[in-house]
Amino acid sequence: MGEQQELVTITIDGREVSVPPGTLLWEAARQLDIEIPIYCYHPKMDPLGACRMCFVEVKGMPKPMTACTTTVTPNMVVSTDSPMVKKSRRGTLEFLLINHPLDCPICDKGGECDLQDFTLRHGPGGTRFDLYKRHYVKPIAVSDRVLLDRERCIACQRCVRFCQDVAMENGLVMMERGFKTEVGVEEDAPFDSIFSGNVVEMCPVGALTAKSYRFVTRPWELKRTASVCGQCSVGCNVLVDVRVNKVLRQYSRTNDSIDEGFLCDRGRWNTELVNSPQRLRTPLIRRNGALEPATWEEALQLVAQRLRAVASTHGASAIGGIGSTHTTNEEAYLFQKLLRAGLGTNNVDHFHGRFPAMERNGLPWVWTDSIAGLEKASHIVLLGTDTYNRQPIVDLRIRRAIRKGTRVYVVTPEPSRLDRLAAGTIRYNEGQTGAVSRALLSAVLSEPLTRGDFATKRAASVAALRDSLAHTNTEALAAFAGADATALRALAREIAQADGAVLLYDEMATRESTGETLAQDVLQLALLTDNFGRPGAGTGPLMEDNNSLGARDMGLLPDQLPGYRMLADGAALAQAWGMTLPDTAGMDYDAMLAGGVRALYVMGADPARHATPEQLAQLEALDLLVVQELFLTETAKRATVVLPAVAYMEKDGTFTNTERAVQVVRRAMQELPGARADWQILIGVANALGLGWRYGSPLEVLAEIGRLVPLYAGISRRGLGAEGVRWPFSAGESDATGKPTLVGSPHLTWTMVEHGVTGNGDGAEPALPRAHGEQG
Amino acid sequence: MSETPGTTPANNSLPLGPTPRFLTRNFGVPGIDRIEVYRQHGGYESLAKALTQFEPDALVEEVKKSGLRGRGGAGFATGMKWGFLPKDNPKPRYLCVNADESEPGTFKDRVMIMEVCPHLLVEGTIISSFATKVHHAFIYVRGELPLAERQMARAVREAYDAGLLGKNILGSGFDLDITVHRGAGAYICGEESALLESLEGKRGYPRLKPPFPAVVGLYSSPTVINNVETIATVPAVVEHGADVYAAYGTEKSKGTRLYCLSGHVERPGNYELPLGVPLRTLIEDYGGGVRGGRQVKAVVPGGSSTPFLKPSQLDTPLDYESVAAAGSMLGSAGVIVLDDQTCIVGAVLRMTEFYRDESCGKCTPCREGTFWLVQLLERLEAGHGKESDIPLLADICDNIFGRSFCPLGDAATMSIVSSIKLFYNEYLHHVTAHGCLVGPRARGVAVGAGANV
Amino acid sequence: MIGEEVQVRLREIVSRYPSARSAMLPCLHLVQEEQGYITPEGIIAVAEAIGAKPDEVESVVTFYSMYTEEPKGRCVIKVCTSIACYLRGCDDVLAHLEQRLGIRKGETSSDGRFTLEAAECLAACGMAPAMQVNGRFFENVTTESADTLVDYLVSAGDTAALTSAWQPVSDGRGMATVSRLDAANPAVEAVEAADTADTTAQQNGAHER
Ligand SMILES: Cc1cc2nc3c(=O)[nH]c(=O)nc-3n(C[C@H](O)[C@H](O)[C@H](O)COP(=O)(O)O)c2cc1C
Ligand code: SF4
Ligand code: FES
């Protein structure tokens, strides 16, 4: 087969391995499970060849070769344990140790230190160095979070190359030279990058350590669980390290399609939350105006009783639920099921509200491409985003794209950390992302710059759209938004000529006053300039929270059922649930807070924090306010009943990230005594209501989702594997055990976007995308 | 000037006599650093000849034919290096003249060329750029040489004013800009890839090779890097023709070199002599022999990065092959003579300190190894060493040699390894008698016979 | 302070290179000459001129031995201590100067006039031992001639240091040895003298500001 012919076969320690040309010897050996020790090499950075640890012997070469810099050539014969290799490695280790302090007993890295480990496996038994070691002041703070012990540093440059080459941020640099070489920070360039924690993880020795982890534990005392970060919508893969029910740190768990092995500081050090002494440890019930501890039984019975009371006096439509963008898919699903099937209302929403959807099962606002796809784009246009602060690891990927030559345009009201690296920036007034995007669309239509099949086939609709926008031309819109029209026109031209442009907007921008048609306009912009449906081209939002997308997918929406099915298509679901479902759209978030309901059930949200004084008054006037939370939030303080919940590290489930990847979240520690997982609480409430729910675990909920939610059809925890799968799914080839694997879609086609994954085109020329309720 | 002793009788029929002065012919001319004077003495005529009588490729062939080899250290064939430039790379090409001269024992590029006759280098640079189709050349002058830098900068300015640089040079249609760049104190920047990093405004860390600069060099473009002397020789090759140039020297080492003679000789200095001149001739006939009538103890033939030769090797011809056969290297032709009153441990310590201080620190063996070596040598020199320190020194060198990222680490080991081999007993004497064997700090009695070969 | 005039010169330097970052070393030389040493302000000025981050500039500054982030004396005396000069007695010269100036190598005299340094091989091995005063070479130095030089520097004051009027250090072999093949080159002498004059003027100017 063609592909096999391309492989290069080499022999390492007498065993053959075939790898693609250009593969490094280190990687080839790894495929044979042969460990070649490395310090300076890092698979996500270019080979450096500095530490001289990875020596191997290549037949025909007089000197030992570094496996991290040598690529395979056909018929190469390599030895990783010849006398030459052994002596060279011993030599390097001896050199590294002459200036290394012997403070292993109190070093936080002890037990997981590459210098310890490789010395054990490859090093000399003793040292012949009996002279004077180099000394430095013991640890100095290089940032608020990170300490540097220069005596322990082996000058591998991993950290500085991460700061300079990968993060492209101020941070650590090499200082001085020769034996005086040290890592340092320039005073005028503080190491305040949101990516800073990665250097702690990458440092092969104990030179860079986290303040939060200093003298805290030994690594072998940690229980390590593979999970997913619960901070933002990127969904980086993490390892949660716990000792005696306390989260001590999080490390990355490399997932190349999402995080490439990096975490942002917000996620990495998000341990205060779960460990906080402020956490709620018992249900609270309002008695005589004050919240007082109660048993779970009391609390659940009270919730059920009061919900029933409201329903019978005011009807089911007087009950509403505000769900969470942080809880798992399973919990979001159960939440809306409780409200829809259990209480008979469609008054379900979440803080970020609904996107303008089409009047079909379409997904006009979904991110059609992927995080990894960003690297393939020739252009990335960021509209109203702040990826550095809001989706940091997407920002890091954009930086990688920039290194590969991608032109990035930052179109935002405020300056951003990406500006310095961008091909261009366009500024406008706060709240005008919609107007700016429409100005771009208008420029594309007026010049005209449309291209590609999509536009050609819909010439009539395009012409109509152009006419409809004629009165709001680019210049007028730009002036309205306070943006530079010439710059916008130039950008429109670049987009229209791009090999592949990815146009991303921030989810929150759709909530601005001009945001109503933002998603639709950007989608049209992408479609009409042929930037769609292939890797490195596409459009969509960058979501806010770890499960913002999952919350929507699971139907925390007043007018759509799980999987974005219209209420009118609810028959199958009703049948499966054995209930009749309300068929009129429910109240949305704002309507519920405007006094539309008498009883409000809030799970993992804090409406009071964002509320206007009127909304606060309405919250306080409710007959019943139930809050499931970790802390006594502003909303919880006003609740009738507070049910203590747990953080993601304490429960199982799945999250769906901003690029549609559904990933498995694992319980890394026991729940805080007294608190329960949201899914358990929901089952408790349902059963107190007499609904007879029998789910034994989130797994069973996921199975039901896999049966009933078309977007998630066929999902199973096993199928999601270690790194998750991106919806929509299909069953792919079988794995080694014969079980079919789940295959997700890296980028969506127009048919999928327009009709959803279940709907099918009716054959007629599809119209242009248009917003919910808009007449087209 | 006397005839070169040691040249064969056949050489007497050489076209320019036995000791031609390809480089230094006009060096005594007052004001030769000025363009008018330089031109009055035939300056820039080679350039005119090159531009009118040669196609670039033919010029590369001519340099190949001349047998000119790099004068920076490695002795790589210059024409062949130019030939490695990829033909189909659309990126601009660059030429970098390596004027970072800092190898201990080497002082030819600064004094002989840049300070005295800068236009020779400018002319060589223009011709070499034309041959390699380069339109922007850089002269990377070592930071500690302000006069050399100013002389070069002024010569370049004069050349621009005379229409010898810039657009359409001498009406040939060939364009060239030269930027004189000043380093800032780092021996490693003489290493070609570190030079490129430095020229790109970075720390002078050597780069991974391959790819070689000819393919991926300055700004990732194809780049030629040559030593000052190499480039300054090109006008002579053009003027006299490859055959005349190649008539000098030996079979594989053609032409002349600027030998830098220093140390314990009566008349240290620069001498332009054909390759293959015997070491003894250089020291005795030109250098006037060892100072104060003493004996030679050891000679470093090619800058401090090359192993010592012993007195019995004084008849070694100074060409690349013969010096290599004698166990050393011709390197930068920096010949350092040590007399019999020199403490070898002290001298080696001083040489090793240089490598410790100039190691860039990128790779472990060189950074840590030189640090260790210096401490060991200090201890030995002070008379506090142990006998086991001597084999330890040798083994540390073994762990550096061939293991370091670039040749600087290798270079650091040369004087140590060769001196232990040649003067083991002198090291031992430091251990047993706690002092030097020779020189002002001599102490105790020599152990064993035949200590010093 | 880095004034507009320096900014203009920085931009001029940048314009000589295909890539702005390449102007790093020359720009640093300029701000160092202007201010006597590399100041935080100088780092930022260079970073802005070449489009680099201040931490990248700092990293480069610390790599190269000619940049200093501490003020130095108005006369920086560098004695080459590498092998060729070592063989010809540079250690004596250095020790003598230490005594004479009352400072150790690497130090600056309390009146801020002299800084004494050991240098790596200055490419003057044929004229060993060699030293540099503010970049100007003095060759075949002896303890006596070093003394004469210091006498001169002390008596002549800062502004007059090392003008063309100053000749006595060369023992007549300096330039002659350079071109052993030929006589001394008067042109070079003249250039060197003129050259040194403006380096000195610049340095002194810098310190007056
Ligand atoms: C540590 C080190 C220092 C070097 N220093 C110099 C130098 O100062 N000048 C020089 O011309 N070559 C120096 N070289 C050699 C250069 O790397 C390169 O080979 C040379 O400039 C090529 O020019 P050539 O072919 O004309 O000799 C050095 C090499 C090493 C490894
Ligand atoms: S601090 Fe750690 S990662 Fe950074 S250079 Fe030192 S050993 Fe390497
Ligand atoms: S891992 Fe190969 S040299 Fe560092």
Side-chain angles (χ1 to χ4, degrees):
Chain A
M1 290 208 326
E3 217 175 69
Q4 265 162 3
Q5 275 167 0
E6 283 179 12
L7 296 183
V8 174
T9 301
I10 66 166
T11 309
I12 306 180
D13 295 344
R15 292 157 64 199
E16 279 196 356
V17 62
S18 298
V19 290
T23 305
L24 296 170
L25 283 184
W26 180 81
E27 181 58 42
R30 197 161 75 140
Q31 296 192 11
L32 290 172
D33 280 332
I34 297 173
E35 181 201 65
I36 297 178
I38 50 170
Y39 292 121
C40 67
Y41 182 61
H42 188 281
K44 292 293 176 288
M45 298 193 279
D46 292 339
L48 186 69
C51 73
R52 319 308 281 175
M53 189 61 236
C54 61
F55 285 126
V56 295
E57 183 167 351
V58 176
K59 203 172 159 194
M61 295 294 186
K63 299 179 186 177
M65 308 288 283
T66 43
C68 75
T69 64
T70 312
T71 50
V72 295
T73 53
N75 307 321
M76 213 175 211
V77 177
V78 180
S79 164
T80 72
D81 61 355
S82 68
M84 182 206 264
V85 171
K86 285 183 175 156
K87 178 160 198 292
S88 309
R89 289 184 187 169
R90 262 203 313 279
T92 295
L93 282 166
E94 192 180 29
F95 286 140
L96 288 175
L97 289 167
I98 65 172
N99 276 311
H100 198 85
L102 288 177
D103 57 1
C104 304
I106 52 124
C107 177
D108 289 324
K109 199 77 173 189
E112 55 182 3
C113 168
D114 288 346
L115 190 57
Q116 278 187 338
D117 294 351
F118 294 151
T119 303
L120 184 73
R121 298 205 272 276
H122 309 282
T127 180
R128 297 175 289 178
F129 183 78
D130 54 357
L131 290 143
Y132 306 100
K133 280 181 195 282
R134 195 167 49 213
H135 286 297
Y136 291 108
V137 176
K138 279 292 195 179
I140 51 172
V142 287
S143 78
D144 293 346
R145 305 263 206 179
V146 183
L147 300 170
L148 168 66
D149 181 328
R150 287 165 296 174
E151 291 184 344
R152 293 185 191 150
C153 172
I154 58 168
C156 69
Q157 296 191 41
R158 272 190 197 176
C159 57
V160 306
R161 295 209 301 148
F162 173 79
C163 291
Q164 302 300 323
D165 303 350
V166 179
M168 300 158 98
E169 284 270 308
N170 284 345
L172 301 171
V173 286
M174 298 310 282
M175 300 279 196
E176 306 296 331
R177 71 161 187 242
F179 70 99
K180 294 183 180 150
T181 295
E182 59 178 84
V183 168
V185 180
E186 150 69 16
E187 259 172 60
D188 289 313
F191 185 23
D192 59 358
S193 154
I194 201 164
F195 307 113
S196 75
N198 291 296
V199 303
V200 170
E201 197 175 326
M202 295 166 97
C203 179
V205 295
L208 289 164
T209 50
K211 265 188 199 165
S212 61
Y213 185 73
R214 191 163 161 73
F215 302 143
V216 159
T217 187
R218 307 263 68 180
W220 52 84
E221 295 173 325
L222 295 170
K223 179 173 151 289
R224 178 160 265 207
T225 308
S227 193
V228 175
C229 174
Q231 268 287 331
C232 81
S233 65
V234 181
C236 299
N237 293 194
V238 294
L239 295 163
V240 185
D241 283 340
V242 172
R243 195 189 67 172
V244 208
N245 262 356
K246 200 161 177 231
V247 183
L248 297 185
R249 65 178 188 188
Q250 294 190 92
Y251 264 26
S252 76
R253 172 169 68 87
T254 308
N255 181 338
D256 279 341
S257 60
I258 294 175
D259 53 59
E260 297 190 287
F262 304 121
L263 294 180
C264 77
D265 290 357
R266 215 153 33 100
R268 175 181 304 275
W269 283 310
N270 176 31
T271 54
E272 286 96 2
L273 183 90
V274 60
N275 292 336
S276 167
Q278 312 291 329
R279 293 244 335 243
L280 294 171
R281 292 162 173 266
T282 175
L284 301 171
I285 291 176
R286 188 168 298 278
R287 292 188 178 114
N288 304 322
L291 286 169
E292 289 177 6
T295 66
W296 272 100
E297 191 49 36
E298 283 172 317
L300 293 174
Q301 287 307 331
L302 183 67
V303 170
Q305 182 205 325
R306 301 284 294 273
L307 281 171
R308 260 192 247 109
V310 171
S312 59
T313 15
H314 302 284
S317 63
I319 302 177
I322 292 176
S324 175
T325 48
H326 289 290
T327 57
T328 63
N329 285 322
E330 290 79 353
E331 290 163 342
Y333 175 85
L334 289 183
F335 186 77
Q336 59 87 37
K337 182 173 174 181
L338 179 70
L339 282 141
R340 290 204 160 98
L343 298 167
T345 176
N346 273 329
N347 296 341
V348 190
D349 205 350
H350 61 288
F351 171 50
H352 298 149
R354 62 180 170 78
F355 266 130
M358 296 210 313
E359 292 155 333
R360 300 189 231 195
N361 298 327
L363 312 162
W365 40 266
V366 81
W367 187 357
T368 60
D369 198 32
S370 62
I371 295 175
L374 289 170
E375 282 181 47
K376 300 207 169 86
S378 67
H379 291 71
I380 298 174
V381 181
L382 299 168
L383 298 158
T385 62
D386 180 4
T387 49
Y388 177 84
N389 284 306
R390 295 160 77 87
Q391 295 86 13
I393 297 297
V394 166
D395 194 76
L396 200 59
R397 188 74 77 141
I398 292 171
R399 288 162 193 250
R400 185 178 286 280
I402 289 172
R403 286 196 295 285
K404 288 183 164 181
T406 304
R407 292 173 66 79
V408 172
Y409 284 88
V410 184
V411 187
T412 55
E414 293 292 325
S416 87
R417 294 275 272 239
L418 263 184
D419 287 359
R420 191 173 53 83
L421 304 168
T425 57
I426 299 177
R427 293 284 110 89
Y428 55 86
N429 298 336
E430 201 70 52
Q432 301 297 337
T433 315
V436 166
S437 306
R438 185 153 273 210
L440 285 171
L441 177 63
S442 161
V444 163
L445 288 165
S446 62
E447 297 219 353
L449 300 164
T450 54
R451 61 169 183 178
D453 258 11
F454 185 92
T456 320
K457 284 209 187 118
R458 291 165 187 75
S461 319
V462 173
L465 181 63
R466 179 182 313 137
D467 294 344
S468 77
L469 280 181
H471 60 286
T472 45
N473 60 30
T474 307
E475 281 66 25
L477 286 160
F480 179 69
D484 177 353
T486 323
L488 285 173
R489 280 200 183 272
L491 176 56
R493 267 175 237 126
E494 264 203 63
I495 294 172
Q497 283 156 18
D499 286 344
V502 177
L503 318 173
L504 296 175
Y505 50 92
D506 194 275
E507 175 192 10
M508 301 312 274
T510 63
R511 294 172 56 83
E512 297 168 358
S513 59
T514 60
E516 184 73 12
T517 59
L518 172 63
Q520 167 207 237
D521 287 349
V522 179
L523 178 61
Q524 284 176 345
L525 184 60
L527 288 164
L528 297 179
T529 54
D530 198 20
N531 285 306
F532 196 85
R534 56 183 193 277
T539 174
L542 290 167
M543 297 284 181
E544 178 80 354
D545 296 329
N546 58 307
N547 208 32
S548 284
L549 182 57
R552 286 195 172 79
D553 290 355
M554 290 301 115
L556 294 188
L557 296 167
D559 56 351
Q560 285 185 319
L561 298 170
Y564 309 100
R565 271 207 286 204
M566 308 313 292
L567 298 176
D569 303 335
L573 207 55
Q575 196 185 6
W577 286 346
M579 300 275 178
T580 46
L581 296 180
D583 55 4
T584 49
M587 279 179 249
D588 67 10
Y589 182 92
D590 288 336
M592 286 190 267
L593 286 186
V597 293
R598 301 302 320 147
L600 189 61
Y601 196 141
V602 178
M603 173 179 81
D606 191 6
R609 191 157 68 102
H610 315 279
T612 59
E614 299 76 56
Q615 289 176 324
L616 267 188
Q618 291 295 348
L619 273 176
E620 279 156 12
L622 286 167
D623 293 348
L624 172 66
L625 176 58
V626 181
V627 177
Q628 276 175 221
E629 254 306 341
L630 271 69
F631 297 95
L632 199 64
T633 57
E634 284 306 304
T635 312
K637 282 179 193 159
R638 295 171 167 81
T640 322
V641 181
V642 182
L643 303 169
V646 305
Y648 70 92
M649 291 144 172
E650 298 159 285
K651 61 190 176 188
D652 285 314
T654 56
F655 290 156
T656 304
N657 81 352
T658 192
E659 50 146 23
R660 298 175 276 116
V662 186
Q663 305 192 84
V664 177
V665 182
R666 284 186 191 77
R667 184 164 169 264
M669 60 196 289
Q670 303 250 315
E671 310 84 357
L672 183 78
R676 289 183 186 177
D678 291 289
W679 63 272
Q680 284 173 313
I681 301 173
L682 292 170
I683 292 170
V685 171
N687 290 338
L689 283 166
L691 296 175
W693 283 6
R694 294 231 147 72
Y695 307 101
S697 72
L699 264 183
E700 287 169 31
V701 182
L702 188 67
E704 181 174 317
I705 294 170
R707 281 196 310 276
L708 300 181
V709 181
L711 210 53
Y712 283 57
I715 193 172
S716 72
R717 186 152 147 175
R718 185 196 305 267
L720 293 178
E723 300 191 342
V725 181
R726 313 180 60 226
W727 64 248
F729 312 117
S730 58
E733 292 169 5
S734 322
D735 66 13
T737 61
K739 294 208 174 60
T741 54
L742 213 52
V743 180
S745 178
H747 54 269
L748 298 183
T749 62
W750 170 235
T751 318
M752 286 176 177
V753 172
E754 195 187 19
H755 300 288
V757 284
T758 46
N760 43 350
D762 51 11
E765 177 193 285
L768 292 170
R770 61 198 154 79
H772 190 55
E774 194 185 330
Q775 300 307 308
Chain B
M1 185 126 326
S2 66
E3 249 184 35
T4 314
T7 42
T8 55
N11 278 357
N12 291 335
S13 59
L14 285 167
L16 303 174
T19 54
R21 295 177 54 186
F22 288 116
L23 284 156
T24 55
R25 183 179 57 204
N26 295 320
F27 280 21
V29 176
I32 193 70
D33 58 332
R34 303 277 160 167
I35 194 164
E36 321 81 64
V37 181
Y38 181 70
R39 287 189 108 163
Q40 279 156 19
H41 289 77
Y44 290 110
E45 277 169 23
S46 292
L47 172 62
K49 181 172 171 189
L51 292 177
T52 49
Q53 298 181 20
F54 287 91
E55 286 299 313
D57 290 347
L59 212 46
V60 175
E61 283 311 308
E62 189 74 4
V63 171
K64 272 188 195 162
K65 219 165 64 174
S66 75
L68 175 62
R69 292 169 66 171
R71 306 304 195 215
F76 196 86
T78 303
M80 201 194 295
K81 189 189 265 187
W82 296 359
F84 288 154
L85 290 166
K87 300 268 177 285
D88 48 4
N89 190 329
K91 290 190 173 179
R93 293 172 170 189
Y94 297 101
L95 176 103
C96 297
V97 180
N98 189 340
D100 193 50
E101 182 164 69
S102 19
E103 169 83 9
T106 313
F107 50 101
K108 59 194 176 68
D109 300 341
R110 163 173 88 90
V111 276
M112 292 305 284
I113 299 167
M114 295 190 285
E115 289 184 1
V116 174
C117 196
H119 282 287
L120 185 62
L121 183 57
V122 174
E123 182 174 7
T125 304
I126 306 173
I127 300 174
S128 304
S129 299
F130 175 67
T132 52
K133 302 176 185 148
V134 161
H135 300 291
H136 197 153
F138 296 86
I139 302 179
Y140 186 105
V141 185
R142 182 174 168 200
E144 289 92 336
L145 314 180
L147 176 60
E149 193 246 357
R150 276 158 206 239
Q151 286 285 71
M152 287 316 308
R154 203 202 56 216
V156 164
R157 229 168 22 243
E158 287 179 346
Y160 268 108
D161 293 344
L164 298 166
L165 279 172
K167 296 265 174 256
N168 192 19
I169 297 169
L170 296 177
S172 64
F174 175 63
D175 308 333
L176 177 68
D177 285 309
I178 294 183
T179 302
V180 178
H181 182 88
R182 184 168 170 217
Y187 166 67
I188 188 61
C189 292
E191 194 283 330
E192 56 185 16
S193 65
L195 183 148
L196 296 178
E197 286 284 293
S198 180
L199 193 45
E200 288 182 11
K202 304 182 195 150
R203 292 163 68 86
Y205 282 143
R207 292 179 182 173
L208 211 55
K209 290 186 247 181
F212 290 93
V215 184
V216 183
L218 189 64
Y219 314 129
S220 300
S221 293
T223 302
V224 183
I225 302 168
N226 278 113
N227 170 255
V228 167
E229 185 188 346
T230 314
I231 295 292
T233 304
V234 171
V237 170
V238 172
E239 180 188 345
H240 300 286
D243 293 335
V244 169
Y245 189 81
Y248 292 91
T250 67
E251 177 62 28
K252 289 190 172 152
S253 304
K254 305 286 193 201
T256 61
R257 278 211 76 160
L258 290 174
Y259 292 96
C260 312
L261 186 59
S262 68
H264 295 141
V265 292
E266 283 292 346
R267 287 197 304 274
N270 280 295
Y271 301 92
E272 180 179 359
L273 294 169
L275 278 144
V277 61
L279 182 54
R280 186 185 302 281
T281 307
L282 179 67
I283 294 174
E284 292 176 2
D285 298 2
Y286 289 89
V290 179
R291 194 173 64 167
R294 294 190 191 284
Q295 297 300 304
V296 171
K297 174 172 193 162
V299 179
V300 176
S304 76
S305 301
T306 59
F308 289 106
L309 295 178
K310 52 191 172 183
S312 63
Q313 293 174 307
L314 281 181
D315 292 314
T316 308
L318 291 176
D319 60 74
Y320 298 101
E321 290 68 31
S322 308
V323 181
S328 189
M329 290 174 279
L330 184 56
S332 61
V335 179
I336 312 170
V337 178
L338 283 65
D339 72 15
D340 54 10
Q341 286 302 299
T342 315
C343 168
I344 200 75
V345 182
V348 168
L349 167 60
R350 186 55 58 95
M351 289 160 88
T352 310
E353 281 172 338
F354 174 84
Y355 293 100
R356 179 198 59 186
D357 294 342
E358 293 300 333
S359 166
C360 74
K362 176 174 181 169
C363 77
T364 308
C366 176
R367 179 183 69 240
E368 306 292 337
T370 53
F371 172 84
W372 191 358
L373 289 172
V374 167
Q375 286 200 38
L376 274 175
L377 284 164
E378 270 171 357
R379 175 158 88 181
L380 279 167
E381 205 260 352
H384 306 311
K386 308 187 238 176
E387 188 172 343
S388 62
D389 286 351
I390 308 167
L392 179 56
L393 275 178
D395 194 55
I396 295 170
C397 289
D398 188 56
N399 284 340
I400 298 174
F401 185 81
R403 271 70 164 164
S404 55
F405 185 88
C406 88
L408 190 145
D410 293 353
T413 69
M414 296 297 174
S415 61
I416 301 175
V417 173
S418 65
S419 65
I420 292 177
K421 221 178 279 169
L422 300 179
F423 306 104
Y424 184 86
N425 284 345
E426 197 168 330
Y427 278 90
L428 194 60
H429 184 87
H430 277 260
V431 174
T432 53
H434 310 293
C436 299
L437 181 65
V438 294
R441 293 170 52 209
R443 191 169 168 176
V445 186
V447 278
N452 297 320
V453 191
Chain C
M1 214 197 76
I2 306 265
E4 179 53 30
E5 183 255 353
V6 177
Q7 305 277 3
V8 170
R9 279 162 72 196
L10 288 172
R11 283 197 288 277
E12 188 279 321
I13 293 173
V14 168
S15 73
R16 295 179 213 159
Y17 295 89
S19 144
R21 173 97 195 227
S22 274
M24 175 87 86
L25 301 192
C27 287
L28 284 170
H29 279 305
L30 176 62
V31 298
Q32 175 158 300
E33 271 160 32
E34 281 300 313
Q35 303 197 298
Y37 62 105
I38 306 269
T39 61
E41 188 199 2
I43 287 190
I44 289 172
V46 172
E48 277 168 9
I50 67 177
K53 297 187 283 112
D55 56 352
E56 296 172 293
V57 178
E58 169 72 9
S59 176
V60 166
V61 165
T62 61
F63 185 88
Y64 294 93
S65 60
M66 289 183 72
Y67 300 127
T68 169
E69 294 184 86
E70 303 287 325
K72 284 195 182 176
R74 295 183 290 277
C75 271
V76 179
I77 303 181
K78 293 185 181 183
V79 179
C80 174
T81 52
S82 284
I83 184 68
C85 289
Y86 167 83
L87 295 174
R88 293 180 83 94
C90 64
D91 287 7
D92 296 340
V93 173
L94 183 61
H96 184 79
L97 283 171
E98 284 184 338
Q99 217 182 14
R100 169 72 204 266
L101 300 171
I103 48 176
R104 315 263 308 176
K105 77 173 176 195
E107 291 177 351
T108 299
S109 61
S110 53
D111 60 0
R113 173 170 286 176
F114 292 106
T115 297
L116 181 62
E117 291 178 349
E120 307 284 16
C121 178
L122 288 171
C125 319
M127 299 68 90
M131 59 187 220
Q132 277 184 338
V133 179
N134 289 352
R136 186 183 176 181
F137 276 95
F138 293 89
E139 293 159 346
N140 295 309
V141 182
T142 59
T143 50
E144 296 79 43
S145 67
D147 255 343
T148 327
L149 174 61
V150 174
D151 286 343
Y152 172 78
L153 292 173
V154 168
S155 68
D158 296 333
T159 41
L162 306 179
T163 58
S164 51
W166 169 251
Q167 293 294 344
V169 162
S170 174
D171 63 351
R173 289 188 1 166
M175 291 312 295
T177 319
V178 172
S179 322
R180 160 91 32 224
L181 300 159
D182 302 288
N185 189 325
V188 174
E189 290 275 2
V191 170
E192 184 172 43
D195 209 74
T196 315
D198 56 69
T199 309
T200 313
Q202 260 171 27
Q203 294 241 341
N204 293 324
H207 285 288
E208 275 155 25
R209 257 171 249 155

